[in-house]
Amino acid sequence: MESQSAQAATAARSSPDQLARALACLYAERFGGATSGKFRISRKFMRQLAGRRKLPDSYIARLAEDLFEAGFVLIDCETYFVVLSQKQFASYRRVTAAAVNRVMPHEESHREPATDRDPAGDRPEIQDIEQRSVQKAPNIH
């Protein structure tokens, strides 16, 4: 009986905004051995909740935007999705130019000091990217 009521509830199509609100509410629910927090949901179950046979990229992108506005991040892992709080990323280490320079191979041992581009003229230097970067919403959906 319970599965029939779940199917009836998902028979109508949900907008990305409606589904985002439902997923945000799930974040606070107790299930899977945890009182609340990050979770994963199968693509099949996501389609059922959306009331759709297919989840177009445009729908997933809109869902990700709506979740992001609510303080969450949606990650598409092919067969399932992960929902995380943006707060989980706040304490992550930030990549610096010095760290990248230690791990990236260098084609030339020196750079021209007066330019903000590489010798080929088609890529900005790593230090310049770091200095000009502005934190934006992640491109994860």
Side-chain angles (χ1 to χ4, degrees):
M1 264 327 207
E2 189 173 316
S3 65
Q4 287 177 344
S5 62
Q7 288 175 348
T10 60
R13 283 188 163 200
S14 297
S15 70
D17 181 56
Q18 291 169 322
L19 185 52
R21 283 183 290 199
L23 294 174
C25 288
L26 276 173
Y27 194 88
E29 287 292 313
R30 179 185 193 91
F31 65 90
T35 56
S36 65
K38 61 189 175 198
F39 63 90
R40 72 183 219 177
I41 181 170
S42 71
R43 185 171 287 274
K44 180 180 177 181
F45 196 34
M46 187 77 88
R47 285 194 313 266
Q48 289 176 348
L49 292 176
R52 297 171 163 266
R53 291 194 328 227
K54 184 179 178 184
L55 293 173
D57 289 341
S58 59
Y59 185 93
I60 298 301
R62 175 74 194 280
L63 176 61
E65 287 176 25
D66 291 338
L67 274 169
F68 190 82
E69 290 299 318
F72 299 94
V73 176
L74 180 69
I75 302 173
D76 185 346
C77 296
E78 297 287 326
T79 59
Y80 60 91
F81 296 92
V82 175
V83 176
L84 304 164
S85 171
Q86 291 174 10
K87 293 176 185 174
Q88 288 184 264
F89 299 100
S91 64
Y92 284 14
R93 303 182 295 160
R94 184 175 165 166
V95 175
T96 63
V100 171
N101 285 333
R102 286 193 301 270
V103 299
M104 294 294 291
H106 298 284
E107 293 177 17
E108 295 182 20
S109 60
H110 68 282
R111 300 275 185 190
E112 294 180 28
T115 182
D116 68 342
R117 298 230 166 237
D118 72 348
D122 58 353
R123 293 179 303 187
E125 296 234 16
I126 294 171
Q127 291 88 349
D128 297 320
I129 293 171
E130 183 181 51
Q131 289 171 358
R132 291 187 302 226
S133 70
V134 176
Q135 190 170 1
K136 297 179 185 176
N139 225 2
I140 301 171
H141 63 256

